[in-house]
Amino acid sequence: MRTFIGGHEAVSTDEFIELALGTPLELWLGVEGESEEERAARLDAARDILAEYPNLPDDVSRVAARVIEAHAPELFNVVPLPPRPTARRRHGKGRVAA
């Protein structure tokens, strides 16, 4: 199944999220090994985006809720495990209790 957002095809989960949000994930999550200067610049850019688009957190929540709803059967496909056999315990003079 192919997924398109705004005319762009999302070929991975990260691309889908990036297209849905309109910003790269790295802007919000950071990247491994970034310097303090890079981190400060990234956070400044994030603050600017949030100031320009104050509804972005709500939009992100809606996207997340839709994804969870669309994949709920797989996410909550819980199968009960069979009960574990109970171990027999020894009581007193070598007798085994059930």
Side-chain angles (χ1 to χ4, degrees):
M1 183 166 133
R2 295 167 58 169
T3 304
F4 288 87
I5 298 176
H8 299 280
E9 183 179 7
V11 295
S12 71
T13 303
D14 286 352
E15 282 188 13
F16 173 81
I17 294 169
E18 184 174 327
L19 288 169
L21 296 178
T23 62
L25 281 176
E26 293 82 12
L27 176 67
W28 309 103
L29 303 178
V31 292
E32 190 173 330
E34 72 182 353
S35 69
E36 283 299 316
E37 185 177 296
E38 291 168 327
R39 182 177 188 276
R42 178 177 57 78
L43 293 177
D44 282 344
R47 276 189 285 278
D48 289 344
I49 290 171
L50 288 174
E52 190 171 337
Y53 301 102
N55 292 333
L56 184 61
D58 293 335
D59 294 343
V60 170
S61 297
R62 274 190 289 280
V63 168
R66 287 183 190 139
V67 170
I68 290 169
E69 183 179 36
H71 297 284
E74 295 90 18
L75 292 173
F76 300 108
N77 187 11
V78 178
V79 177
L81 296 173
R84 290 176 47 184
T86 57
R88 300 185 124 202
R89 297 180 307 256
R90 294 196 177 271
H91 289 289
K93 299 178 180 171
R95 295 190 332 243
V96 177

